[in-house]
């Protein structure tokens, strides 16, 4: 049995899901696969040649966890609690071509693949839907270890294509099927500064929302118009005001992006659509760069080079402070990829891809 699952990029709503705001994400044509078969004992043997690692344990030895992020065991335990049973072990080889630790959800794709593989190879397969596999992976990777994290990565990699995800007041996932052209993913090869970025973008913004609501109880990050933000200028520092404006504008950019992507389903993609879409991505990027400060000088050089080579827009992807950016380049992908590499990045030409699937 061979299962593969894609990585993902966040098109709109970066650094907004933890505020309860929606996101739009796209699965990409870089994937992680698990190829395995039964053993004649209860052992789980996992070969990870890309990382030079091997993991081995018994199906009877899945708790307590050996390390903090013991995702292979935690996924088995989540499935067991759902009534899934395993009378035979497995031997698997895991391969992937998703950039690791760079904001493209390689770990979530791995756990979705593992959950999908385990369900199909169990004694009593439930044949979980893609959405359910995303929920299982989130439980195994986030909830089981009490870690912060939204559902975007797991739903996006499991369901595939383009999804719109709301988390407040209840989780709502909507699959979009826009006709999108080619992207170029650019890995800066710089380590991400996830904790530093979160300190500003999440905890800093949560403080801003508290201050504004104390001043104006009717304020809502979901509905307060952009024009009203100026009313709070006296209550906030210049830096706090910068965060507030960026988040309200990014909220509105996402809504405009959703309308555009929805309209494209029933009409052929054209130059006008591509230009509008690329412009929205870049508008979002400027807020991330200038106000949320998630970019780096190297990523800025990569972005500028991509735009000069014919990209229509793009943004930094993931938590930031390093990691990946991407550019929308429906007609100039090769030129954009080359330009990114000249600035010291590693480039990958990608398209929107399907979700987790059986390969063989």
């Amino acid at each position: 049995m061979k299962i593969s699952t894609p990585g993902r990029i966040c098109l709109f709503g970066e650094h907004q899901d933890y505020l309860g705001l929606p996101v739009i994400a796209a699965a990409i044509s870089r994937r992680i696969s698990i190829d395995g078969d039964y053993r004649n004992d209860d052992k789980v043997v996992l070969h990870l040649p890309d990382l030079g690692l091997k993991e081995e344990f018994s199906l009877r030895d899945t708790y307590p966890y050996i390390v903090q992020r013991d995702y292979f065991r935690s996924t088995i335990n989540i499935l067991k609690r759902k009534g899934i049973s395993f009378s035979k072990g497995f031997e698997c080889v895991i391969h992937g071509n998703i950039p690791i630790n760079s904001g493209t959800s390689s770990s979530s794709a791995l756990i979705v693949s593992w959950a999908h593989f385990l369900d199909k190879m169990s004694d009593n397969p439930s044949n979980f839907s893609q959405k359910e596999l995303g929920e299982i992976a989130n439980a195994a990777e986030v909830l089981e270890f009490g870690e912060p994290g939204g559902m975007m990565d797991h739903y996006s990699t499991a369901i595939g294509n383009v999804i719109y995800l709301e988390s407040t007041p209840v989780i709502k996932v909507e699959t979009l099927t826009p006709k999108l052209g080619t992207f170029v993913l650019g890995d800066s090869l710089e380590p991400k500064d996830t904790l530093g970025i979160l300190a500003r973008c999440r905890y800093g913004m949560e403080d801003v929302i508290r201050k504004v609501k104390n001043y104006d109880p009717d304020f809502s990050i979901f509905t307060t118009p952009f024009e009203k933000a100026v009313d709070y200028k006296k209550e906030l520092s210049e830096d706090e005001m910068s965060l507030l404006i960026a988040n309200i504008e990014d909220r509105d950019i996402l809504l405009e992006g959703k309308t555009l992507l929805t309209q494209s389903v029933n009409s052929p993609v054209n130059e006008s659509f591509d230009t509008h879409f690329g412009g929205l991505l870049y508008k979002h990027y400027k807020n991330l760069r200038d106000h949320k400060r998630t970019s780096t000088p190297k990523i800025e050089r990569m972005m500028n080079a991509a735009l000069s080579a014919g990209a229509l827009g793009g943004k930094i992807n993931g938590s930031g402070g390093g990691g990946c950016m991407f550019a929308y380049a429906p007609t100039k992908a090769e030129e954009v990829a080359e330009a990114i590499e000249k600035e010291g990045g590693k480039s990958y030409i990608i398209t929107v891809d399907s979700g987790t699937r059986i390969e063989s």
Side-chain angles (χ1 to χ4, degrees):
M1 173 71 68
K2 183 177 182 179
I3 302 287
S4 82
T5 302
R8 71 100 186 98
I9 55 176
C10 177
L11 299 179
F12 302 108
E14 198 81 78
H15 282 291
Q16 298 215 286
D17 54 339
Y18 45 65
L19 301 176
L21 290 163
V23 294
I24 296 176
I28 60 173
S29 53
R30 310 288 296 184
R31 306 180 72 91
I32 283 182
S33 66
I34 296 182
D35 191 356
D37 208 340
Y38 296 110
R39 289 174 58 92
N40 292 322
D41 54 25
D42 67 357
K43 287 264 198 312
V44 175
V45 181
L46 303 168
H47 302 274
L48 296 91
D50 299 340
L51 302 176
L53 299 175
K54 177 183 177 183
E55 187 156 348
E56 184 174 333
F57 58 90
S58 167
L59 282 168
R60 291 196 295 267
D61 184 27
T62 58
Y63 198 85
Y65 298 121
I66 307 301
V67 294
Q68 170 63 9
R69 296 176 174 87
D70 207 344
Y71 300 144
F72 292 118
R73 287 179 174 87
S74 66
T75 307
I76 292 172
N77 291 331
I78 295 294
L79 289 171
K80 284 180 176 178
R81 290 174 209 154
K82 290 180 174 292
I84 302 296
S85 61
F86 306 96
S87 58
K88 288 183 177 181
F90 317 100
E91 186 142 3
C92 307
V93 178
I94 298 172
H95 279 296
N97 59 12
I98 304 171
I100 297 172
N101 295 325
S102 48
T104 45
S105 299
S106 58
S107 66
S108 298
L110 172 60
I111 305 310
V112 169
S113 283
W114 181 229
H116 197 173
F117 176 87
L118 289 170
D119 177 36
K120 294 300 184 184
M121 299 290 282
S122 68
D123 298 339
N124 51 333
S126 284
N127 297 312
F128 293 112
S129 69
Q130 290 175 319
K131 180 175 180 288
E132 289 170 328
L133 288 168
E135 291 163 352
I136 290 165
N138 179 261
E141 190 176 4
V142 176
L143 304 181
E144 190 76 356
F145 298 100
E147 296 190 355
M151 292 290 297
M152 172 177 62
D153 294 356
H154 307 92
Y155 275 141
S156 182
T157 57
I159 296 171
N161 297 303
V162 179
I163 64 164
Y164 167 82
L165 172 63
E166 290 181 0
S167 56
T168 305
V170 296
I171 291 176
K172 172 190 171 186
V173 186
E174 184 180 340
T175 301
L176 309 178
T177 54
K179 300 177 179 69
L180 291 172
T182 307
F183 294 83
V184 180
L185 183 67
D187 188 348
S188 70
L189 307 177
E190 298 175 313
K192 294 185 300 174
D193 179 25
T194 301
L195 294 179
I197 296 295
L198 281 178
R200 173 178 174 75
C201 292
R202 178 174 186 167
Y203 308 125
M205 187 58 197
E206 288 172 346
D207 285 340
V208 169
I209 291 172
R210 279 192 288 271
K211 286 183 180 181
V212 173
K213 283 190 74 69
N214 284 337
Y215 173 75
D216 177 10
D218 293 330
F219 170 81
S220 169
I221 192 64
F222 302 99
T223 58
T224 295
F226 178 81
E227 296 75 18
K228 191 169 174 57
V230 70
D231 294 354
Y232 311 122
K233 195 169 184 179
K234 291 182 180 178
E235 305 300 315
L236 302 173
S237 69
E238 185 177 338
D239 197 43
E240 290 170 331
M241 192 68 188
S242 175
L243 270 178
L244 178 63
I245 289 172
N247 273 292
I248 292 177
E249 187 170 44
D250 283 344
R251 174 202 70 193
D252 294 344
I253 288 170
L254 178 139
L255 295 174
E256 186 177 349
K258 182 174 187 283
T259 299
L260 180 67
L261 293 170
T262 302
Q263 289 172 345
S264 80
V265 172
N266 298 316
S267 60
V269 173
N270 53 46
E271 186 176 343
S272 175
F273 168 88
D274 285 337
T275 301
H276 190 176
F277 177 67
L280 286 176
L281 291 174
Y282 190 66
K283 193 174 181 182
H284 189 11
Y285 169 69
K286 287 194 292 184
N287 281 333
L288 292 166
R289 179 194 66 192
D290 299 339
H291 301 290
K292 300 181 187 182
R293 301 176 193 164
T294 68
S295 190
T296 68
K298 183 175 182 180
I299 288 175
E300 177 68 358
R301 292 194 302 271
M302 291 163 60
M303 182 66 73
N304 288 339
L307 295 173
S308 296
L312 300 178
K315 60 177 281 293
I316 191 166
N317 187 63
S319 55
C324 284
M325 50 74 73
F326 65 84
Y328 186 54
T331 62
K332 298 279 188 177
E334 295 285 351
E335 294 89 337
V336 169
E338 183 179 350
I340 288 171
E341 299 247 343
K342 284 182 178 177
E343 292 297 333
K346 175 67 176 172
S347 64
Y348 308 88
I349 296 174
I350 57 172
T351 54
V352 174
D353 204 357
S354 60
T356 188
R357 66 191 183 213
I358 300 172
E359 301 285 1
S360 62

